[in-house]
Amino acid sequence: MAKWIDVCSVDDLQPNSGVCALLDGEQVAIFWMPVLSGAEGPDAKIYAVGNYDPFGNANVLSRGIIGDIGGQPVVASPLYKQHYNLQTGVCLEDETVKIPVYAIRIENGSVQVDLSSLPQDGAQAL
């Protein structure tokens, strides 16, 4: 069962960049990719992934550069530049490595993450 929590206003996000939120003890990187300038709703793409870069061993992915590789929305780690698919979490350079992906939505101008999609009971998302 989904447990949506307000994280911030969509106005707090910068187009084509990321922010980090601490949710239930997990650092979550949130990226907003408007298709059209200022788009919200069906014309905006919003993604939430774990902020931890497994190659750099640091919580930095929210500071990465987002873009598109072969039609896949990606974030490039600011450390060693690995690309992670924002929909699946899979690393494009090493498909054996995956970061967690969380359910996220924009509802009435508010960015919401589903807390039930976060690891529970001390389980570690890798």
Side-chain angles (χ1 to χ4, degrees):
M1 178 185 215
K3 183 180 177 185
W4 295 99
I5 182 171
D6 289 344
V7 176
C8 63
S9 167
V10 74
D11 295 332
D12 295 328
L13 302 178
Q14 292 296 313
N16 299 308
S17 65
V19 297
C20 183
L22 184 62
L23 303 176
D24 203 26
E26 294 290 322
Q27 287 193 27
V28 177
I30 298 171
F31 300 97
W32 182 44
M33 298 173 74
V35 176
L36 302 171
S37 180
E40 186 176 329
D43 291 329
K45 301 294 182 190
I46 190 161
Y47 303 97
V49 298
N51 194 40
Y52 184 76
D53 176 1
F55 288 97
N57 294 317
N59 288 300
V60 295
L61 291 180
S62 63
R63 295 175 182 233
I65 297 172
I66 59 174
D68 178 297
I69 295 179
Q72 299 178 69
V74 297
V75 60
S77 170
L79 297 177
Y80 298 114
K81 312 303 184 230
Q82 284 84 6
H83 298 89
Y84 298 93
N85 182 308
L86 291 172
Q87 295 172 313
T88 65
V90 174
C91 176
L92 273 58
E93 289 79 16
D94 183 349
E95 293 182 1
T96 65
V97 177
K98 184 177 179 182
I99 59 172
V101 175
Y102 305 112
I104 190 167
R105 68 182 183 186
I106 298 174
E107 188 73 24
N108 297 321
S110 182
V111 177
Q112 299 179 335
V113 173
D114 179 8
L115 285 182
S116 68
S117 68
L118 297 176
Q120 301 298 313
D121 302 320
Q124 185 151 10
L126 294 177

